[in-house]
């Protein structure tokens, strides 16, 4: 059990990932000379920066990529780490906030779509654990699926957390008369938090209406090799 | 929860572990408050008592719609509004206490800590029955016990790698009982029946248990010491690697090695290393210590043998009272490696005594002719070897020859007399030189002669026995062959009879065929004569059959 206070809203805490482990999602999408490298994983921001270079070296070696990728990979990771560090040290104003998270992923030949509610203020939540349970329950044997789901969750949480910092900044700025920006950011993300009082108050029920069940149910599709090829080609096109 | 669903549960009974009998539909128990404090401390708007109760009741009801099926978290969370992390906590809590997914088999490992004495509690209002025992777990246990008792091969899973092979070959695969705790094969002598329902727990498991209980592992390690040559089945690759690494690093400092391996104690490490095919080479200089330890018995034996052989040459004492028999001599051989001086001397005396006795005994068994011939041959051989011996023996040679001649007539019916005579002969052989003031080498030669005689006699006896056994075997084989022959003959006879019967039947059938044909023709003729246009089918076969029989 983490000793973090469950009601994080009371005392503002320094920025971090709103999860049990402070791991940040890193997404790489690098294309050099027609060769494309896509990857997503988590990174511990407390690791020394020398790790980044050695990780890049190791990745290039393992995947037999041309050496030009090495600098690109290291650079991309560094940029994303730097972004995270720019938030670090700032206060995070997360009131209790339950947001719907959406998963729409394709890993190899498995497509998984899912939607569920996540309490951003619950620092005990563990995306990796959740993803593992999900894969176990759905009998997904591909070991790449679980981490992919966890990274997807972390990305969305990261976004929310970053917003909580920036929105706090915006409100401060907004007092000086620039309220418009806050509205823009809110509507842009579309991560509308649930009305907690309505749902968890004395009147509502936490049991979802039966006709809405399908919305919050994971859907797993197994694609044939041809479909995978077609999707790859389409992604290639859209990327250009 | 609706009232109708509550009625449903009034009718049905569900099993939950007795440890969860605190559960009540309309109450929140202290256990729930303790394990899921988030819902009860009012820290968050989305978590309160009402929400918890709704979650809990929904999940349990969902499971009880089909108690034979495993309920998954993913299934539950689609129908509940709320943070998935919190929902997951509730789900896991209920599962851990057996309120859901209790007794559902899906091959997944289930926590077994709930095994214990169980109580039957009837809760008429709530409709929950607390079962006296989890039948699933109980049956699992009994199966394990059965396999243990039946010495099944199921628990045996050693990969055929050379590093896994036990160079001492002490264990017999598939013969030892299976440990009920770790499932490994127990090597005989390394398991001890614990009083837990009679199933076998191997030493390793019982030890870990003991260590957990905080008992000192000393008495166990003593046992391990005694069984250090036996196989420790549960060394994993990783552990072995760690061990080798540690040995290379720390040499023979076993405490450090054990610390490095961590999962095994000092004695286990030692035992494992000497079991490895190349363990001795690794130990290098300090291997001798363990060699001596391992082949302790062998060393003692060889030393004893050396003693025995050296005992034969010094001057023997041929006093009258003989109190050592063959068995005692064997015991004497396995006495400690460094006996006190007195015992040492005694051993020699005893050895000589029993040697004479044995010679007498063996020659008795072999028969006087054989013994005499053997003695003569021994004396001749010794004379050839050393002229001194010839002189010693010449003195009473004539006498002995006379005796030999008289043997067949005197001693055939009574075996006791033979023994006496032999003894007398021996005594004569030994006594005379002493009297004739020859130096001690004479007695030495005579001892040699006696040994040779004994060996010769024993060999002769052995040959006789072997011949007899050979004859007996031949006889038996002959009788077996004869029996087989008789069996085959019976069979042939039987087949001949069968053939005869078949032939008979064949001729009968042939006759029948002919008569049938005749009848047929006759009938057709009659029909033609009578002018009946057609006949009824069912009439003919019947009549024909009647005729036929």
């Amino acid at each position: 059990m983490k000793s973090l206070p469950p009601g994080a809203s009371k005392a503002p805490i320094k920025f971090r990932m709103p999860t049990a482990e402070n791991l940040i999602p890193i997404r790489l999408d690098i294309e050099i000379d027609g060769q494309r490298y896509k990857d997503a994983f988590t990174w511990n921001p407390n690791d020394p920066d020398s790790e980044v270079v050695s990780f890049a070296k190791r990745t290039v070696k393992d995947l037999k990529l041309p050496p030009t990728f090495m600098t690109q990979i290291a650079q991309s990771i560094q940029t994303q780490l730097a972004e995270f560090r720019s938030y670090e040290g700032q206060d995070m104003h997360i009131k209790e906030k339950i947001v719907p998270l959406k998963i729409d992923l394709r890993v190899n030949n498995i497509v998984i779509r899912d939607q569920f509610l996540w309490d951003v203020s619950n620092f005990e939540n563990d995306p990796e654990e959740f993803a593992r349970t999900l894969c176990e329950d759905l009998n997904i044997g591909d070991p790449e699926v679980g981490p992919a789901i966890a990274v997807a969750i972390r990305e969305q949480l990261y976004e929310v957390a970053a917003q909580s910092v920036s929105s706090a900044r915006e409100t401060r700025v907004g007092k000086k008369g620039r309220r418009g920006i806050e509205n823009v950011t809110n509507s842009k993300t579309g991560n509308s938090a649930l009305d907690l009082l309505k749902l968890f108050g004395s009147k509502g029920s936490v049991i979802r209406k039966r006709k809405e069940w399908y919305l919050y149910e994971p859907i797993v599709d197994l694609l044939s090799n041809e479909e995978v090829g077609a999707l790859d080609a389409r992604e290639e096109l859209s990327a250009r | 929860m609706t009232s109708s669903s509550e009625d449903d549960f009034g009718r049905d009974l569900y099993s939950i572990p007795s440890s969860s009998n605190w559960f009540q539909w309309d109450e929140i128990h202290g256990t729930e408050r303790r394990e899921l404090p988030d819902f009860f401390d009012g820290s968050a708007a989305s978590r309160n008592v009402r929400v918890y109760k709704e979650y809990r009741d929904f999940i349990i009801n969902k499971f009880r719609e089909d108690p034979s099926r495993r309920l998954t978290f993913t299934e539950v969370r689609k129908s509940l509004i709320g943070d998935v992390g919190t929902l997951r906590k509730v789900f896991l809590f209920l599962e851990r206490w057996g309120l859901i997914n209790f007794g559902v088999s899906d091959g997944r490992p289930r926590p077994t800590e709930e095994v214990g004495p169980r109580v039957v509690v009837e809760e008429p209002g709530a409709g929950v029955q607390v079962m006296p025992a989890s039948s699933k777990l109980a049956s699992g246990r009994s199966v394990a016990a059965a396999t243990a008792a039946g010495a099944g091969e199921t628990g045996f899973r050693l990969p055929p790698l050379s590093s896994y092979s036990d160079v001492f070959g002490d264990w017999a695969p598939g013969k030892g009982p299976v440990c009920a705790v770790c499932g490994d094969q127990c090597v005989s002598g390394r398991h001890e029946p614990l009083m837990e329902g009679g199933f076998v727990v191997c030493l390793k498991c019982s030890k870990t248990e003991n260590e957990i209980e905080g008992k000192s592992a000393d008495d166990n390690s003593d046992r391990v010491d005694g069984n250090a040559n036996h196989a420790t089945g549960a060394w994993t690759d990783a552990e072995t690697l760690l061990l080798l690494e540690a040995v290379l690093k720390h040499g023979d400092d076993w405490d450090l090695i054990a610390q490095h391996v961590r999962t095994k104690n000092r004695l286990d490490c030692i035992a494992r290393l000497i079991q490895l095919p190349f363990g001795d080479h690794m130990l290098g200089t300090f291997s001798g210590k363990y060699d001596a330890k391992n082949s302790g018995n062998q060393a003692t034996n060889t030393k004893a043998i050396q003693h025995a052989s050296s005992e034969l040459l010094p001057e023997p004492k041929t006093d009258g009272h003989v109190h050592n028999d063959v068995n005692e001599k064997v015991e004497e051989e396995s006495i400690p490696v460094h006996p006190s001086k007195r015992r040492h001397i005694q051993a020699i005396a005893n050895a000589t005594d029993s040697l004479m006795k044995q010679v007498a005994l063996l020659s008795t068994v072999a028969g006087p002719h054989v013994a005499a011939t053997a003695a003569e041959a021994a004396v001749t051989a010794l004379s050839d070897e050393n002229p001194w011996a010839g002189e010693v023996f010449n003195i009473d040679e004539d006498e002995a020859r006379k005796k030999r001649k008289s043997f067949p007539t005197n001693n055939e019916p009574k075996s006791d007399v033979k023994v006496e005579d032999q003894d007398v002969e021996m005594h004569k052989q030994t006594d005379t030189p002493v009297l004739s003031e020859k130096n001690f080498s004479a007695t030495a030669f005579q001892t040699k002669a006696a040994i040779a005689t004994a060996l010769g006699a024993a060999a002769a006896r052995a040959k006789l026995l072997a011949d007899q056994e050979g004859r007996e075997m031949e006889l038996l084989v002959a009788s077996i062959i004869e029996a087989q022959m008789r069996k085959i003959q019976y069979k042939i006879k039987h087949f001949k009879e069968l053939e005869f019967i078949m032939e008979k039947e064949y001729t009968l059938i042939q006759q029948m065929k002919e008569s049938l044909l005749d009848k047929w023709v006759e009938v057709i003729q009659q029909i033609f004569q009578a002018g009946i246009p057609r006949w009824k089918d069912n009439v003919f076969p019947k009549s024909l059959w009647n005729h036929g029989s």
Side-chain angles (χ1 to χ4, degrees), chain A residues 96 114 117 119 122 124-125 129 133 137 201 204-206 208 213 217, chain B residues 44-48 50 54 73-74 77-79 81 83-85 88-89:
Chain A
E96 189 181 5
D114 198 0
L117 301 177
D119 185 351
N122 187 348
E124 285 169 23
N125 280 353
E129 192 73 22
T133 315
D137 287 348
S205 166
V206 291
R208 198 168 274 138
W213 283 8
E217 194 174 21
Chain B
S46 63
R47 294 188 286 271
N48 55 45
R50 194 186 58 84
E54 247 177 288
F73 167 66
T74 310
R77 63 134 159 104
K78 73 174 180 193
S79 12
I81 301 170
D83 173 32
V84 280
R88 196 161 165 279
K89 257 195 241 168

mmCIF file of all heavy atoms in Angstrom, chain A residues 96 114 117 119 122 124-125 129 133 137 201 204-206 208 213 217, chain B residues 44-48 50 54 73-74 77-79 81 83-85 88-89:
data_model
loop_
_atom_site.group_PDB
_atom_site.id
_atom_site.type_symbol
_atom_site.label_atom_id
_atom_site.label_comp_id
_atom_site.label_asym_id
_atom_site.label_seq_id
_atom_site.Cartn_x
_atom_site.Cartn_y
_atom_site.Cartn_z
ATOM 1 N N GLU A 96 -10.676 15.221 -6.945
ATOM 2 C CA GLU A 96 -11.136 13.899 -7.304
ATOM 3 C C GLU A 96 -11.808 13.974 -8.660
ATOM 4 O O GLU A 96 -12.743 14.740 -8.879
ATOM 5 C CB GLU A 96 -12.113 13.371 -6.259
ATOM 6 C CG GLU A 96 -12.417 11.929 -6.506
ATOM 7 C CD GLU A 96 -13.390 11.374 -5.504
ATOM 8 O OE1 GLU A 96 -13.881 12.148 -4.679
ATOM 9 O OE2 GLU A 96 -13.653 10.166 -5.575
ATOM 10 N N ASP A 114 -11.614 -0.563 -25.940
ATOM 11 C CA ASP A 114 -12.154 -0.667 -24.590
ATOM 12 C C ASP A 114 -12.390 0.736 -24.046
ATOM 13 O O ASP A 114 -11.773 1.713 -24.501
ATOM 14 C CB ASP A 114 -11.167 -1.425 -23.693
ATOM 15 C CG ASP A 114 -11.851 -1.938 -22.431
ATOM 16 O OD1 ASP A 114 -13.053 -1.696 -22.276
ATOM 17 O OD2 ASP A 114 -11.179 -2.591 -21.625
ATOM 18 N N LEU A 117 -13.607 3.725 -16.680
ATOM 19 C CA LEU A 117 -13.460 4.942 -15.886
ATOM 20 C C LEU A 117 -12.214 4.837 -15.034
ATOM 21 O O LEU A 117 -11.876 3.772 -14.529
ATOM 22 C CB LEU A 117 -14.684 5.132 -14.988
ATOM 23 C CG LEU A 117 -16.017 5.227 -15.724
ATOM 24 C CD1 LEU A 117 -17.145 5.351 -14.722
ATOM 25 C CD2 LEU A 117 -16.022 6.402 -16.673
ATOM 26 N N ASP A 119 -9.962 6.884 -11.968
ATOM 27 C CA ASP A 119 -9.864 7.963 -11.001
ATOM 28 C C ASP A 119 -8.442 8.521 -11.058
ATOM 29 O O ASP A 119 -7.488 7.873 -10.642
ATOM 30 C CB ASP A 119 -10.161 7.407 -9.608
ATOM 31 C CG ASP A 119 -10.194 8.517 -8.579
ATOM 32 O OD1 ASP A 119 -9.814 9.664 -8.940
ATOM 33 O OD2 ASP A 119 -10.595 8.250 -7.438
ATOM 34 N N ASN A 122 -6.601 8.850 -7.774
ATOM 35 C CA ASN A 122 -6.258 7.650 -7.013
ATOM 36 C C ASN A 122 -4.845 7.225 -7.372
ATOM 37 O O ASN A 122 -4.602 6.582 -8.386
ATOM 38 C CB ASN A 122 -7.255 6.537 -7.320
ATOM 39 C CG ASN A 122 -7.044 5.339 -6.428
ATOM 40 O OD1 ASN A 122 -6.042 5.228 -5.737
ATOM 41 N ND2 ASN A 122 -8.002 4.433 -6.450
ATOM 42 N N GLU A 124 -3.048 5.074 -6.141
ATOM 43 C CA GLU A 124 -2.720 3.659 -5.955
ATOM 44 C C GLU A 124 -2.995 2.853 -7.206
ATOM 45 O O GLU A 124 -2.638 1.686 -7.283
ATOM 46 C CB GLU A 124 -3.552 3.082 -4.807
ATOM 47 C CG GLU A 124 -3.053 3.527 -3.455
ATOM 48 C CD GLU A 124 -4.040 3.165 -2.365
ATOM 49 O OE1 GLU A 124 -4.830 2.225 -2.590
ATOM 50 O OE2 GLU A 124 -4.020 3.816 -1.320
ATOM 51 N N ASN A 125 -3.648 3.470 -8.155
ATOM 52 C CA ASN A 125 -3.984 2.727 -9.362
ATOM 53 C C ASN A 125 -2.728 2.340 -10.136
ATOM 54 O O ASN A 125 -1.760 3.083 -10.192
ATOM 55 C CB ASN A 125 -4.903 3.564 -10.261
ATOM 56 C CG ASN A 125 -6.324 3.510 -9.779
ATOM 57 O OD1 ASN A 125 -6.636 2.763 -8.865
ATOM 58 N ND2 ASN A 125 -7.187 4.300 -10.400
ATOM 59 N N GLU A 129 -0.910 -3.357 -13.791
ATOM 60 C CA GLU A 129 -1.691 -4.400 -13.134
ATOM 61 C C GLU A 129 -3.046 -4.550 -13.828
ATOM 62 O O GLU A 129 -3.511 -5.654 -14.087
ATOM 63 C CB GLU A 129 -1.870 -4.005 -11.668
ATOM 64 C CG GLU A 129 -2.392 -5.084 -10.769
ATOM 65 C CD GLU A 129 -1.351 -6.150 -10.491
ATOM 66 O OE1 GLU A 129 -0.158 -5.854 -10.628
ATOM 67 O OE2 GLU A 129 -1.754 -7.277 -10.182
ATOM 68 N N THR A 133 -4.480 -7.911 -15.789
ATOM 69 C CA THR A 133 -5.751 -8.550 -15.484
ATOM 70 C C THR A 133 -6.632 -8.626 -16.720
ATOM 71 O O THR A 133 -7.266 -9.649 -16.988
ATOM 72 C CB THR A 133 -6.492 -7.762 -14.381
ATOM 73 O OG1 THR A 133 -5.569 -7.452 -13.372
ATOM 74 C CG2 THR A 133 -7.637 -8.557 -13.827
ATOM 75 N N ASP A 137 -8.048 -11.989 -18.256
ATOM 76 C CA ASP A 137 -9.484 -12.251 -18.319
ATOM 77 C C ASP A 137 -9.934 -12.528 -19.738
ATOM 78 O O ASP A 137 -10.871 -13.291 -19.970
ATOM 79 C CB ASP A 137 -10.257 -11.052 -17.748
ATOM 80 C CG ASP A 137 -10.123 -10.978 -16.235
ATOM 81 O OD1 ASP A 137 -9.637 -11.962 -15.653
ATOM 82 O OD2 ASP A 137 -10.486 -9.946 -15.662
ATOM 83 N N GLY A 201 -23.674 10.211 -5.334
ATOM 84 C CA GLY A 201 -24.462 10.792 -4.248
ATOM 85 C C GLY A 201 -25.538 9.818 -3.810
ATOM 86 O O GLY A 201 -25.584 8.666 -4.214
ATOM 87 N N GLY A 204 -28.103 8.559 -7.020
ATOM 88 C CA GLY A 204 -27.739 7.755 -8.177
ATOM 89 C C GLY A 204 -27.414 6.321 -7.812
ATOM 90 O O GLY A 204 -27.324 5.946 -6.644
ATOM 91 N N SER A 205 -27.243 5.535 -8.855
ATOM 92 C CA SER A 205 -26.848 4.154 -8.650
ATOM 93 C C SER A 205 -25.532 3.925 -9.383
ATOM 94 O O SER A 205 -25.313 4.466 -10.465
ATOM 95 C CB SER A 205 -27.920 3.215 -9.193
ATOM 96 O OG SER A 205 -27.405 1.920 -9.283
ATOM 97 N N VAL A 206 -24.660 3.150 -8.769
ATOM 98 C CA VAL A 206 -23.377 2.910 -9.417
ATOM 99 C C VAL A 206 -23.443 1.718 -10.362
ATOM 100 O O VAL A 206 -22.453 1.357 -10.965
ATOM 101 C CB VAL A 206 -22.250 2.680 -8.391
ATOM 102 C CG1 VAL A 206 -21.951 3.955 -7.643
ATOM 103 C CG2 VAL A 206 -22.601 1.545 -7.455
ATOM 104 N N ARG A 208 -24.454 0.345 -13.711
ATOM 105 C CA ARG A 208 -24.670 0.937 -15.015
ATOM 106 C C ARG A 208 -25.916 0.349 -15.654
ATOM 107 O O ARG A 208 -26.270 -0.807 -15.417
ATOM 108 C CB ARG A 208 -23.455 0.645 -15.897
ATOM 109 C CG ARG A 208 -23.327 1.514 -17.081
ATOM 110 C CD ARG A 208 -21.956 1.340 -17.707
ATOM 111 N NE ARG A 208 -20.941 2.199 -17.095
ATOM 112 C CZ ARG A 208 -19.719 1.809 -16.807
ATOM 113 N NH1 ARG A 208 -19.341 0.575 -17.051
ATOM 114 N NH2 ARG A 208 -18.857 2.644 -16.271
ATOM 115 N N TRP A 213 -23.876 -1.214 -21.172
ATOM 116 C CA TRP A 213 -22.790 -2.129 -20.842
ATOM 117 C C TRP A 213 -21.815 -2.285 -22.004
ATOM 118 O O TRP A 213 -20.620 -2.329 -21.833
ATOM 119 C CB TRP A 213 -23.343 -3.503 -20.450
ATOM 120 C CG TRP A 213 -23.897 -3.527 -19.066
ATOM 121 C CD1 TRP A 213 -24.067 -2.449 -18.264
ATOM 122 C CD2 TRP A 213 -24.333 -4.653 -18.342
ATOM 123 N NE1 TRP A 213 -24.604 -2.835 -17.064
ATOM 124 C CE2 TRP A 213 -24.785 -4.200 -17.095
ATOM 125 C CE3 TRP A 213 -24.420 -6.026 -18.620
ATOM 126 C CZ2 TRP A 213 -25.290 -5.066 -16.130
ATOM 127 C CZ3 TRP A 213 -24.919 -6.879 -17.669
ATOM 128 C CH2 TRP A 213 -25.355 -6.405 -16.423
ATOM 129 N N GLU A 217 -17.319 -2.327 -22.518
ATOM 130 C CA GLU A 217 -16.895 -3.714 -22.579
ATOM 131 C C GLU A 217 -15.724 -3.819 -23.544
ATOM 132 O O GLU A 217 -15.745 -3.202 -24.611
ATOM 133 C CB GLU A 217 -18.064 -4.558 -23.106
ATOM 134 C CG GLU A 217 -17.875 -6.021 -22.915
ATOM 135 C CD GLU A 217 -19.148 -6.759 -23.333
ATOM 136 O OE1 GLU A 217 -19.953 -6.193 -24.096
ATOM 137 O OE2 GLU A 217 -19.322 -7.881 -22.914
ATOM 138 N N ALA B 44 -13.225 10.565 -0.330
ATOM 139 C CA ALA B 44 -13.553 10.870 -1.719
ATOM 140 C C ALA B 44 -15.050 10.762 -1.940
ATOM 141 O O ALA B 44 -15.730 9.949 -1.312
ATOM 142 C CB ALA B 44 -12.832 9.899 -2.648
ATOM 143 N N ALA B 45 -15.511 11.596 -2.823
ATOM 144 C CA ALA B 45 -16.951 11.622 -3.094
ATOM 145 C C ALA B 45 -17.418 10.344 -3.787
ATOM 146 O O ALA B 45 -18.566 9.939 -3.668
ATOM 147 C CB ALA B 45 -17.282 12.831 -3.957
ATOM 148 N N SER B 46 -16.497 9.725 -4.561
ATOM 149 C CA SER B 46 -16.915 8.557 -5.329
ATOM 150 C C SER B 46 -16.827 7.272 -4.518
ATOM 151 O O SER B 46 -17.128 6.206 -5.025
ATOM 152 C CB SER B 46 -16.037 8.422 -6.577
ATOM 153 O OG SER B 46 -14.706 8.196 -6.194
ATOM 154 N N ARG B 47 -16.351 7.385 -3.279
ATOM 155 C CA ARG B 47 -16.235 6.172 -2.487
ATOM 156 C C ARG B 47 -16.914 6.380 -1.153
ATOM 157 O O ARG B 47 -16.448 7.144 -0.308
ATOM 158 C CB ARG B 47 -14.761 5.829 -2.263
ATOM 159 C CG ARG B 47 -14.027 5.454 -3.529
ATOM 160 C CD ARG B 47 -12.661 4.943 -3.210
ATOM 161 N NE ARG B 47 -11.748 6.002 -2.808
ATOM 162 C CZ ARG B 47 -11.000 6.697 -3.666
ATOM 163 N NH1 ARG B 47 -11.052 6.439 -4.958
ATOM 164 N NH2 ARG B 47 -10.207 7.639 -3.224
ATOM 165 N N ASN B 48 -18.016 5.726 -0.974
ATOM 166 C CA ASN B 48 -18.677 5.765 0.320
ATOM 167 C C ASN B 48 -19.312 4.409 0.588
ATOM 168 O O ASN B 48 -19.240 3.497 -0.237
ATOM 169 C CB ASN B 48 -19.707 6.893 0.382
ATOM 170 C CG ASN B 48 -20.711 6.801 -0.745
ATOM 171 O OD1 ASN B 48 -21.225 5.721 -1.026
ATOM 172 N ND2 ASN B 48 -20.976 7.916 -1.421
ATOM 173 N N ARG B 50 -22.345 3.392 0.791
ATOM 174 C CA ARG B 50 -23.445 2.951 -0.076
ATOM 175 C C ARG B 50 -22.870 2.408 -1.387
ATOM 176 O O ARG B 50 -23.289 1.356 -1.884
ATOM 177 C CB ARG B 50 -24.378 4.129 -0.351
ATOM 178 C CG ARG B 50 -25.701 3.729 -0.932
ATOM 179 C CD ARG B 50 -26.495 4.970 -1.293
ATOM 180 N NE ARG B 50 -25.776 5.820 -2.248
ATOM 181 C CZ ARG B 50 -25.794 5.621 -3.556
ATOM 182 N NH1 ARG B 50 -26.481 4.628 -4.058
ATOM 183 N NH2 ARG B 50 -25.130 6.408 -4.352
ATOM 184 N N GLU B 54 -23.132 -1.378 -2.875
ATOM 185 C CA GLU B 54 -23.688 -1.666 -4.197
ATOM 186 C C GLU B 54 -22.697 -2.470 -5.048
ATOM 187 O O GLU B 54 -23.067 -3.436 -5.713
ATOM 188 C CB GLU B 54 -24.053 -0.355 -4.901
ATOM 189 C CG GLU B 54 -25.548 -0.207 -5.097
ATOM 190 C CD GLU B 54 -25.903 1.128 -5.724
ATOM 191 O OE1 GLU B 54 -25.792 2.167 -5.039
ATOM 192 O OE2 GLU B 54 -26.277 1.108 -6.899
ATOM 193 N N PHE B 73 -12.854 -9.938 -13.578
ATOM 194 C CA PHE B 73 -12.968 -8.523 -13.253
ATOM 195 C C PHE B 73 -13.450 -7.724 -14.463
ATOM 196 O O PHE B 73 -14.269 -6.811 -14.344
ATOM 197 C CB PHE B 73 -11.599 -8.018 -12.792
ATOM 198 C CG PHE B 73 -11.517 -6.527 -12.715
ATOM 199 C CD1 PHE B 73 -12.276 -5.823 -11.800
ATOM 200 C CD2 PHE B 73 -10.693 -5.821 -13.585
ATOM 201 C CE1 PHE B 73 -12.209 -4.451 -11.729
ATOM 202 C CE2 PHE B 73 -10.634 -4.448 -13.521
ATOM 203 C CZ PHE B 73 -11.387 -3.761 -12.597
ATOM 204 N N THR B 74 -12.950 -8.106 -15.626
ATOM 205 C CA THR B 74 -13.319 -7.399 -16.856
ATOM 206 C C THR B 74 -14.821 -7.477 -17.099
ATOM 207 O O THR B 74 -15.428 -6.526 -17.601
ATOM 208 C CB THR B 74 -12.547 -8.008 -18.032
ATOM 209 O OG1 THR B 74 -11.178 -8.066 -17.677
ATOM 210 C CG2 THR B 74 -12.731 -7.203 -19.282
ATOM 211 N N ARG B 77 -16.553 -5.001 -14.459
ATOM 212 C CA ARG B 77 -16.357 -3.569 -14.491
ATOM 213 C C ARG B 77 -17.158 -2.886 -15.595
ATOM 214 O O ARG B 77 -17.324 -1.678 -15.572
ATOM 215 C CB ARG B 77 -14.881 -3.223 -14.621
ATOM 216 C CG ARG B 77 -14.229 -3.697 -15.906
ATOM 217 C CD ARG B 77 -13.394 -2.598 -16.493
ATOM 218 N NE ARG B 77 -12.398 -3.116 -17.405
ATOM 219 C CZ ARG B 77 -12.520 -3.036 -18.731
ATOM 220 N NH1 ARG B 77 -13.591 -2.524 -19.293
ATOM 221 N NH2 ARG B 77 -11.556 -3.507 -19.499
ATOM 222 N N LYS B 78 -17.631 -3.669 -16.575
ATOM 223 C CA LYS B 78 -18.415 -3.030 -17.622
ATOM 224 C C LYS B 78 -19.779 -2.609 -17.093
ATOM 225 O O LYS B 78 -20.404 -1.703 -17.653
ATOM 226 C CB LYS B 78 -18.576 -3.969 -18.821
ATOM 227 C CG LYS B 78 -19.526 -5.109 -18.566
ATOM 228 C CD LYS B 78 -19.772 -5.934 -19.801
ATOM 229 C CE LYS B 78 -20.731 -7.067 -19.497
ATOM 230 N NZ LYS B 78 -20.801 -8.071 -20.536
ATOM 231 N N SER B 79 -20.233 -3.259 -16.034
ATOM 232 C CA SER B 79 -21.565 -2.917 -15.551
ATOM 233 C C SER B 79 -21.530 -2.058 -14.298
ATOM 234 O O SER B 79 -22.575 -1.776 -13.732
ATOM 235 C CB SER B 79 -22.373 -4.183 -15.286
ATOM 236 O OG SER B 79 -21.583 -5.308 -15.305
ATOM 237 N N ILE B 81 -20.230 1.556 -12.505
ATOM 238 C CA ILE B 81 -19.659 2.885 -12.737
ATOM 239 C C ILE B 81 -18.668 3.165 -11.628
ATOM 240 O O ILE B 81 -18.971 2.965 -10.448
ATOM 241 C CB ILE B 81 -20.761 3.956 -12.745
ATOM 242 C CG1 ILE B 81 -21.783 3.636 -13.843
ATOM 243 C CG2 ILE B 81 -20.177 5.339 -12.942
ATOM 244 C CD1 ILE B 81 -23.016 4.484 -13.785
ATOM 245 N N ASP B 83 -14.198 4.138 -10.655
ATOM 246 C CA ASP B 83 -12.783 3.977 -10.939
ATOM 247 C C ASP B 83 -12.436 2.497 -11.015
ATOM 248 O O ASP B 83 -12.714 1.729 -10.091
ATOM 249 C CB ASP B 83 -12.012 4.663 -9.812
ATOM 250 C CG ASP B 83 -10.528 4.408 -9.921
ATOM 251 O OD1 ASP B 83 -10.047 4.286 -11.061
ATOM 252 O OD2 ASP B 83 -9.877 4.334 -8.873
ATOM 253 N N VAL B 84 -11.799 2.086 -12.127
ATOM 254 C CA VAL B 84 -11.511 0.668 -12.289
ATOM 255 C C VAL B 84 -10.525 0.176 -11.235
ATOM 256 O O VAL B 84 -10.586 -0.985 -10.823
ATOM 257 C CB VAL B 84 -10.969 0.350 -13.695
ATOM 258 C CG1 VAL B 84 -12.096 0.258 -14.691
ATOM 259 C CG2 VAL B 84 -9.934 1.340 -14.132
ATOM 260 N N GLY B 85 -9.664 1.034 -10.788
ATOM 261 C CA GLY B 85 -8.713 0.619 -9.763
ATOM 262 C C GLY B 85 -9.428 0.269 -8.471
ATOM 263 O O GLY B 85 -9.165 -0.765 -7.854
ATOM 264 N N ARG B 88 -11.407 -2.846 -8.878
ATOM 265 C CA ARG B 88 -10.538 -4.010 -8.877
ATOM 266 C C ARG B 88 -10.209 -4.402 -7.443
ATOM 267 O O ARG B 88 -10.139 -5.576 -7.105
ATOM 268 C CB ARG B 88 -9.251 -3.666 -9.627
ATOM 269 C CG ARG B 88 -8.478 -4.859 -10.008
ATOM 270 C CD ARG B 88 -7.497 -4.563 -11.105
ATOM 271 N NE ARG B 88 -6.566 -5.656 -11.160
ATOM 272 C CZ ARG B 88 -5.532 -5.776 -10.346
ATOM 273 N NH1 ARG B 88 -5.272 -4.840 -9.480
ATOM 274 N NH2 ARG B 88 -4.752 -6.825 -10.430
ATOM 275 N N LYS B 89 -10.017 -3.414 -6.603
ATOM 276 C CA LYS B 89 -9.704 -3.713 -5.206
ATOM 277 C C LYS B 89 -10.847 -4.468 -4.559
ATOM 278 O O LYS B 89 -10.627 -5.463 -3.855
ATOM 279 C CB LYS B 89 -9.473 -2.399 -4.442
ATOM 280 C CG LYS B 89 -8.017 -2.118 -4.191
ATOM 281 C CD LYS B 89 -7.886 -1.039 -3.158
ATOM 282 C CE LYS B 89 -7.166 0.144 -3.721
ATOM 283 N NZ LYS B 89 -7.249 1.313 -2.858
#
